[in-house]
Amino acid sequence: MINTLKERLIQLSNYLSQSEIDLLEQAINFADNAHHGQKRATGEPYITHPLAVCEILLEYKADVTSLISALLHDVVEDTDTPIHEIELKFGEQVSSIVEGLTKVEKGQLEKEEYTAINTEKLLSASVNDIRIAIIKIADRLHNMRTLSVKKIEKKIPYANETIIFFVPLAERLGLYRMQKELEELSFNYLNPPKSKTVQKLINNYAVKFEAIFIKCFDEVKKEGDSLILDLEWNKEPLYRSYCLLLEEHALSDLFSIKVITNAPLLCYTALGIIHRLYTPIEHQLIDNIAIVKSPFLKQLKTKVLINNIEVIFIIQSECDKKMNDNGVFELLKGDLSSSEITTLSNDLIAFELLQRIITVYTPKMDVVSLPKGSTIIDFAFSLNSQLAFSMSAAKVNGQNKPIQTVLNDMDVVEILTTNNNMVKSDWLIYAQTSKAIKEINELLNM
């Protein structure tokens, strides 16, 4: 089995140069020897795990440094191999990444403190080299794929940590395929009945949506001629779908049709075609080509009526679709210097991910986790966007407080609402989290 896995990795690495493939083979053998005799909880040889993590990265055509680091990511932590031996054999970049992925000694630390220290170490190291975060996400993905062998008391906290921390991190880095699978695997463990119910709703609506897509494909392609390269339809990840349904979104909001054009400027031409063919819904156009909010989501988004059904269209150029499909890996292509890697990493790891997290409660004792320094405005948007839009006042620990009040750990916050839209431009002064800032901006720009 191990030899078959090794052979598959070499086959998938055919986009690398021969010298890089040779180096990858050396790393495979080095990791195999280092983990010799060790077993996973599944009963498989331990080497199957780093090989699987490497395979996940190969699917994205990752650079050889990332692949080697993935193979060696547990060597220092779980074997007697010192970090200087890795540096000697595979270079400073690989050893630095492996060091960033290696957990600190647990000693007498409590579990919560130990987890917090390792999370801070991971994110701090990722600021210098974003590949550390990427490998950790791939590592988490494979562990989630094999979580079934763990006891139930370990499955739930592990899946919960995945939803709270690793899913947003994957999204921030444009790793949407990993994000989707992490969400679905976690949701299946956290709430199996809800997971099955939502999946059934999605599957049923997918039949109806596919018919709409076939109709649109023919009509848009005919009208767009050569400027429309392709159309495809997508659906939101399972857990994201569940959250949208909780916020009373329609099933149609879980699906979208993506239109691919030759160039970014042609996206606007395609938008005009779609609006001529179908009735646009007012205040539903979001332009993330002119106003870039993420390097991985340069697109136009609109909503139209087709046979009295609301349908979301996403319009992207071919080059931006590649960025959307490959995320941070697209930015890492080519031989980047250490300083260029650090600059890229600083741009992608948002400051709020490095901040200390506080726990805030609703009056019903629902938990909301926020970065330290967050205000009532941030709390409201994190809890429920529709609730935030109509927020008129708030109470903290039973006392009336201005909505710009900075919250403390363990505060209990009650949001008071009206029937009107209460969002004002000065809310942007006090909002600290990216979710609140994004949604306030979108509402003000409508």
Side-chain angles (χ1 to χ4, degrees):
M1 180 183 70
I2 302 301
N3 287 335
T4 302
L5 290 174
K6 290 180 181 179
E7 288 171 8
R8 186 159 73 231
L9 294 194
I10 299 304
Q11 289 171 357
L12 290 171
S13 67
N14 59 8
Y15 62 91
L16 299 174
S17 68
Q18 188 55 53
S19 60
E20 289 175 330
I21 293 173
D22 293 341
L23 199 59
L24 185 66
E25 285 194 88
Q26 290 178 38
I28 291 171
N29 293 328
F30 185 90
D32 194 7
N33 291 332
H35 289 295
H36 181 71
Q38 294 179 340
K39 299 281 187 181
R40 299 196 78 217
T42 58
E44 298 172 303
Y46 193 87
I47 188 60
T48 58
H49 171 62
L51 291 177
V53 175
C54 182
E55 184 173 352
I56 290 169
L57 300 183
L58 278 164
E59 291 169 4
Y60 282 90
K61 293 183 167 47
D63 65 290
V64 72
T65 300
S66 297
L67 298 173
I68 292 171
S69 302
L71 289 165
L72 307 180
H73 77 273
D74 279 336
V75 164
V76 174
E77 186 175 318
D78 293 339
T79 77
D80 295 330
T81 307
I83 193 70
H84 68 79
E85 186 176 345
I86 290 177
E87 182 175 354
L88 187 65
K89 289 183 179 294
F90 299 103
E92 186 179 348
Q93 275 196 334
V94 170
S95 68
S96 176
I97 292 172
V98 172
E99 171 59 31
L101 289 162
T102 301
K103 292 179 182 175
V104 301
E105 291 287 338
K106 189 172 189 300
Q108 301 299 312
L109 294 172
E110 295 292 330
K111 182 179 179 182
E112 291 78 9
E113 186 180 4
Y114 179 65
T115 300
I117 289 170
N118 282 307
T119 300
E120 185 176 1
K121 180 188 177 187
L122 169 72
L123 290 172
S124 298
S126 298
V127 168
N128 293 321
D129 196 323
I130 198 65
R131 291 174 292 192
I132 294 169
I134 295 169
I135 294 166
K136 190 64 180 178
I137 293 168
D139 170 59
R140 176 56 62 117
L141 178 54
H142 183 247
N143 283 334
M144 283 301 300
R145 288 174 178 175
T146 56
L147 189 61
S148 60
V149 299
K150 296 284 188 181
K151 294 179 180 177
I152 188 67
E153 58 267 27
K154 291 190 175 182
K155 290 177 185 176
I156 301 302
Y158 200 79
N160 192 52
E161 183 186 47
T162 301
I163 281 281
I164 290 172
F165 180 74
F166 285 96
V167 165
L169 185 58
E171 183 178 23
R172 185 64 52 88
L173 300 182
L175 302 175
Y176 301 121
R177 278 179 283 158
M178 289 197 205
Q179 174 201 352
K180 180 179 179 180
E181 189 175 352
L182 285 169
E183 282 193 19
E184 293 188 354
L185 289 168
S186 300
F187 191 32
N188 283 334
Y189 285 110
L190 292 171
N191 200 330
K194 288 289 186 186
S195 174
K196 289 177 183 176
T197 300
V198 175
Q199 188 64 68
K200 186 176 180 180
L201 285 170
I202 290 171
N203 291 344
N204 289 341
Y205 191 81
V207 176
K208 181 177 182 179
F209 191 81
E210 189 168 11
I212 295 171
F213 171 74
I214 291 169
K215 167 183 166 65
C216 292
F217 185 94
D218 293 337
E219 292 173 346
V220 174
K221 281 286 281 183
K222 180 181 178 181
E223 190 74 15
D225 197 23
S226 60
L227 78 88
I228 305 291
L229 296 179
D230 199 10
L231 287 89
E232 58 186 44
W233 68 274
N234 301 291
K235 61 179 184 289
E236 292 289 340
L238 189 62
Y239 181 71
R240 183 66 52 86
S241 296
Y242 170 65
C243 293
L244 288 170
L245 291 173
L246 282 181
E247 293 176 7
E248 300 184 349
H249 282 261
L251 272 169
S252 59
D253 285 346
L254 312 183
F255 293 78
S256 62
I257 295 175
K258 183 173 284 188
V259 178
I260 313 301
T261 69
N262 279 307
L265 283 178
L266 292 177
C267 291
Y268 295 97
T269 308
L271 177 68
I273 290 169
I274 291 164
H275 283 182
R276 283 200 304 273
L277 286 170
Y278 315 112
T279 306
I281 299 173
E282 284 189 46
H283 308 306
Q284 291 294 322
L285 174 62
I286 300 173
D287 186 346
N288 288 143
I289 294 176
I291 304 171
V292 179
K293 295 189 176 178
S294 165
F296 313 116
L297 285 176
K298 294 179 182 179
Q299 61 186 34
L300 301 176
K301 183 177 180 181
T302 188
K303 188 184 282 188
V304 301
L305 277 176
I306 302 177
N307 297 336
N308 292 320
I309 297 172
E310 294 186 355
V311 177
I312 295 170
F313 275 88
I314 291 172
I315 309 167
Q316 280 187 323
S317 68
E318 186 177 27
C319 59
D320 287 329
K321 182 181 182 297
K322 285 182 182 178
M323 189 70 74
N324 180 244
D325 290 343
N326 297 323
V328 66
F329 289 102
E330 201 68 22
L331 297 178
L332 285 168
K333 283 184 175 178
D335 297 323
L336 298 181
S337 66
S338 296
S339 62
E340 287 172 323
I341 289 283
T342 300
T343 300
L344 173 63
S345 304
N346 270 291
D347 288 343
L348 292 176
I349 294 290
F351 176 71
E352 71 183 65
L353 284 175
L354 297 173
Q355 292 178 300
R356 188 171 74 83
I357 299 299
I358 61 170
T359 300
V360 184
Y361 297 92
T362 70
K364 293 182 179 179
M365 301 313 289
D366 293 323
V367 176
V368 176
S369 297
L370 294 165
K372 184 180 179 182
S374 294
T375 64
I376 292 173
I377 294 171
D378 299 300
F379 170 85
F381 278 98
S382 180
L383 186 65
N384 184 305
S385 298
Q386 297 303 316
L387 182 82
F389 292 155
S390 57
M391 177 171 61
S392 59
K395 292 182 178 181
V396 178
N397 303 325
Q399 302 204 355
N400 292 326
K401 293 288 182 181
I403 62 172
Q404 64 265 32
T405 300
V406 174
L407 297 172
N408 295 310
D409 204 24
M410 310 301 286
D411 278 344
V412 177
V413 182
E414 180 182 358
I415 303 298
L416 306 178
T417 63
T418 70
N419 292 325
N420 301 319
N421 177 7
M422 302 299 292
V423 177
K424 298 179 179 64
S425 58
D426 64 355
W427 285 22
L428 289 170
I429 299 171
Y430 306 108
Q432 301 296 314
T433 58
S434 57
K435 178 177 172 62
I437 293 168
K438 173 178 177 289
E439 296 197 11
I440 293 168
N441 265 317
E442 285 179 357
L443 194 66
L444 291 174
N445 290 328
M446 282 183 177

